[in-house]
Amino acid sequence: MDAFKCYLPKVLFGCGEMQNIGPYLPGHGQKAFLAIDPYLDKAGFSKRVVTLLRGVSVEAVVFSKIDPDPDCFGLDMAAAIA
């Protein structure tokens, strides 16, 4: 696996905070890996996030095949996609 860096500059939490994601992204790259629960994905949250990211010129890859407490195989699959 290739080396990579992961930065977590801000954690947004609260009702409606998803709408404020745009101002935090400039300077952190042009691509994002969105790991999301399959139920939240089906409920449309990933589409909303992808739309917000596109609004600030960030391309997103969505991964929604997440199990609670994923094993190494699930993590390997996510890493390969990322």
Side-chain angles (χ1 to χ4, degrees):
M1 182 168 120
D2 294 332
F4 67 93
K5 293 181 182 180
C6 179
Y7 298 95
L8 301 172
K10 298 278 183 179
V11 175
L12 304 175
F13 181 82
C15 185
E17 283 298 314
M18 184 169 33
Q19 300 301 322
N20 298 321
I21 195 170
Y24 294 105
L25 296 177
H28 294 287
Q30 297 174 324
K31 293 184 181 180
F33 180 73
L34 175 61
I36 190 167
D37 179 278
Y39 300 105
L40 292 176
D41 183 42
K42 288 179 186 175
F45 282 90
S46 59
K47 289 179 184 176
R48 289 173 55 196
V49 172
V50 168
T51 298
L52 291 168
L53 294 174
R54 282 188 192 140
V56 291
S57 301
V58 174
E59 176 188 346
V61 174
V62 177
F63 179 76
S64 63
K65 295 180 181 180
I66 298 174
D67 294 322
D69 299 318
D71 57 23
C72 63
F73 301 109
L75 294 175
D76 285 345
M77 184 180 359
I81 293 169

